[in-house]
């Protein structure tokens, strides 16, 4: 069974710092990996999706990398801002089988606080 | 962009009552919807995969008679928590996949269930 681990569980930094959030997964047979943002009491917002054949994806100040063979992904946030404060979740989608096409396995998330 | 809504956003009920949560894809057809549960500071755990017109596939450890899922149309799936107890209090989130597009899931805003 796929297990997803995120480190650190929480992170508190001053505004302007560059950050790295880590995600590891136990089964490298994945279809893709996705990073989400979740604000308190809210649903999920997709940030970046990396296909298994890709090494990285970029969107604005965010850059996500994927090393499938070692079971790792990192989310890099440049020049952090207070508005980046949220919980960041990593999710992997295994290679699809049967009737659970597209299911995701989530990590517990990294709770990020960026203070002014 | 594709939007998924959930209703209600928050519900408080007495122990022993049943609660129905709706998940709707507002501007697209979703052949597959997923129901997740999230306890405080925990990851999202998949409860079941719901395919339109067929029985839901439940994850191991999830009681199908307690968590009734109906996916009667391409835009609506419902989760009914029957005879709810305080331990069922959680944040329930649904997601939906666009028919014919395998990569993208869109998440609803979640429903906070509190059972007294």
């Amino acid at each position: 069974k796929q297990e997803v681990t995120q480190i650190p569980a929480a992170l508190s930094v001053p505004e302007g710092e560059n950050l790295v959030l880590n995600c590891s997964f136990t089964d490298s047979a994945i279809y893709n990996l996705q990073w989400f943002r979740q604000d308190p009491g809210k649903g999920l917002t997709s940030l970046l999706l990396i296909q298994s054949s890709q090494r990285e994806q970029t969107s604005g100040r965010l850059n996500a990398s994927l090393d499938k063979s070692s079971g790792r992904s990192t989310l890099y946030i440049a020049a952090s801002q207070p508005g980046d404060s949220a919980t960041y979740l990593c999710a992997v989608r295994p290679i699809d089988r049967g009737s659970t096409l597209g299911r995701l396995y989530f990590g517990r998330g990294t709770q990020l606080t960026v203070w002014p | 962009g594709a939007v998924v809504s959930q209703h209600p956003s928050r519900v408080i009920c007495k122990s022993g009552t049943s609660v129905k949560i709706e998940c709707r894809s507002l501007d697209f057809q979703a052949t597959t919807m997923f129901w997740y549960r999230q306890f405080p500071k925990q990851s999202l755990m998949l409860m079941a995969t719901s395919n339109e017109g067929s029985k839901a596939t439940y994850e191991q450890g999830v009681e199908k008679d307690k968590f009734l899922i109906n996916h009667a149309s391409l835009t609506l799936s419902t989760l009914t928590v029957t005879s709810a107890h305080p331990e069922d209090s959680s944040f329930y989130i649904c997601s939906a996949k666009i028919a014919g597009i395998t990569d993208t899931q869109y998440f609803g805003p979640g429903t906070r269930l509190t059972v007294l």
Side-chain angles (χ1 to χ4, degrees), chain B residues 13-19 81-85 115:
Chain B
C13 69
K14 293 182 179 180
S15 184
T17 61
S18 294
V19 175
V81 183
T82 62
S83 187
H85 291 283
V115 185

Side-chain angles (χ1 to χ4, degrees), chain B:
Chain B
V3 178
V4 175
S5 70
Q6 279 185 243
H7 178 80
S9 58
R10 184 181 297 268
V11 57
I12 301 173
C13 69
K14 293 182 179 180
S15 184
T17 61
S18 294
V19 175
K20 180 184 283 189
I21 302 170
E22 293 185 348
C23 176
R24 291 182 185 273
S25 56
L26 298 185
D27 50 3
F28 65 96
Q29 293 184 329
T31 52
T32 303
M33 290 184 173
F34 302 89
W35 286 96
Y36 295 87
R37 180 167 54 182
Q38 185 181 33
F39 293 107
K41 298 192 183 299
Q42 300 293 317
S43 65
L44 275 75
M45 298 298 294
L46 181 67
M47 299 175 66
T49 303
S50 170
N51 293 297
E52 187 268 336
S54 63
K55 290 183 179 180
T57 302
Y58 290 81
E59 293 298 299
Q60 191 172 9
V62 178
E63 300 175 57
K64 62 180 181 181
D65 293 331
K66 181 170 182 62
F67 299 98
L68 301 179
I69 291 174
N70 184 282
H71 192 164
S73 78
L74 286 172
T75 60
L76 173 65
S77 177
T78 60
L79 167 67
T80 301
V81 183
T82 62
S83 187
H85 291 283
E87 57 266 30
D88 298 323
S89 299
S90 186
F91 194 55
Y92 292 86
I93 303 179
C94 72
S95 70
K97 288 175 72 265
I98 296 178
I101 298 177
T102 59
D103 285 358
T104 306
Q105 285 185 39
Y106 297 92
F107 283 80
T111 296
R112 171 73 60 191
L113 171 64
T114 302
V115 185
L116 303 176

